Amino acid sequence: MKILIGQPLHEDKIEQLENEIKSNKDIDFVFFPEGYLANEKALVSAREIAKKYKVAIATSYKRDNKNRALIINNLGEIVLERAKTLPDENIKLYGPTSINIDGCEIGYLLCMEILKGRRDLEIVKEHMDFIVHPIGVGMFSDEQFELWISEAQNIAKAYNTMVIGTSHADGSYRNCGVSLPIAYCIDSNGEAIYISKSDTRTRIVNLTSKEFEIK
């Protein structure tokens, strides 16, 4: 399986998503950040694109101005959809936290949910092929960047699976003015296949060989 990992700019339409798919026709799975689909109209368009190009899509979309988890299969069907877990540490991850697509078990952590992953992903099936971690905007400090990468590495080792994360190329947390766009791919041993800070180029990861290319 080839996974395209994008770091788009925020947009109301989904031109960047379709352009990436059209430019990389051998991909099977597209992974975009939290909230890339700005509204339910964009969600409808994304389902049409998934069906048209026969690719699965993992991202999130906004409904009532709140981000919701989302995976669409290559038939354009929504196979995972749920609310984002509240940040209170006493609240466990909302389910579902994984979905099976054509025999491939995919875990899902939405943005700050990464901080609950080691504790709460125990509810998913025994084996996962990889976990996607859509992030809204870049990190607001080097310390946050290192913390989230460390959590991803710990989750990868704990569940013996690959963890992939990506954020938008623009925007900042609560408009603080500081943003370190982040993208990463950690293998099942917790080792980095790549870690990107403020480098917003598209990556394509081959799940079988664990190799990647930069577009």
Side-chain angles (χ1 to χ4, degrees), residues 46-55 57 72-74 76:
R47 294 181 65 184
E48 293 171 351
I49 286 172
K51 183 176 180 180
K52 177 179 179 181
Y53 295 101
K54 296 180 174 56
V55 297
I57 299 171
I72 302 168
N73 69 14
N74 60 10

Side-chain angles (χ1 to χ4, degrees), residues 10 36 46 61 74-75 80-82 97 109 111 123 125 136 148-149 160-162 164 186 212 214:
H10 288 85
Y36 172 69
Y61 77 105
N74 60 10
L75 300 176
L80 185 149
E81 196 277 347
R82 63 168 171 82
T97 56
L109 294 168
C111 204
I123 64 174
K125 294 182 180 179
W148 285 32
I149 292 295
N160 191 33
T161 192
M162 183 182 290
I164 307 167
I186 307 297
F212 75 95
I214 301 175

Side-chain angles (χ1 to χ4, degrees), residues 14-100:
I14 57 171
E15 294 178 357
Q16 293 167 92
L17 176 68
E18 184 165 18
N19 287 339
E20 289 280 19
I21 295 172
K22 288 167 67 176
S23 300
N24 300 281
K25 295 183 178 179
D26 61 339
I27 59 171
D28 307 292
F29 193 95
V30 179
F31 175 37
F32 264 38
E34 176 191 41
Y36 172 69
L37 302 180
N39 48 56
E40 291 179 77
K41 183 177 180 181
L43 170 58
V44 172
S45 298
R47 294 181 65 184
E48 293 171 351
I49 286 172
K51 183 176 180 180
K52 177 179 179 181
Y53 295 101
K54 296 180 174 56
V55 297
I57 299 171
T59 180
S60 94
Y61 77 105
K62 288 186 180 292
R63 190 173 83 191
D64 299 327
N65 206 34
K66 293 182 179 180
N67 287 304
R68 297 183 66 85
L70 178 72
I71 296 180
I72 302 168
N73 69 14
N74 60 10
L75 300 176
E77 300 166 337
I78 296 174
V79 292
L80 185 149
E81 196 277 347
R82 63 168 171 82
K84 182 178 179 179
T85 310
L86 295 174
D88 186 328
E89 65 178 16
N90 295 313
I91 298 175
K92 288 193 172 183
L93 284 176
Y94 298 158
T97 56
S98 71
I99 190 68
N100 191 290

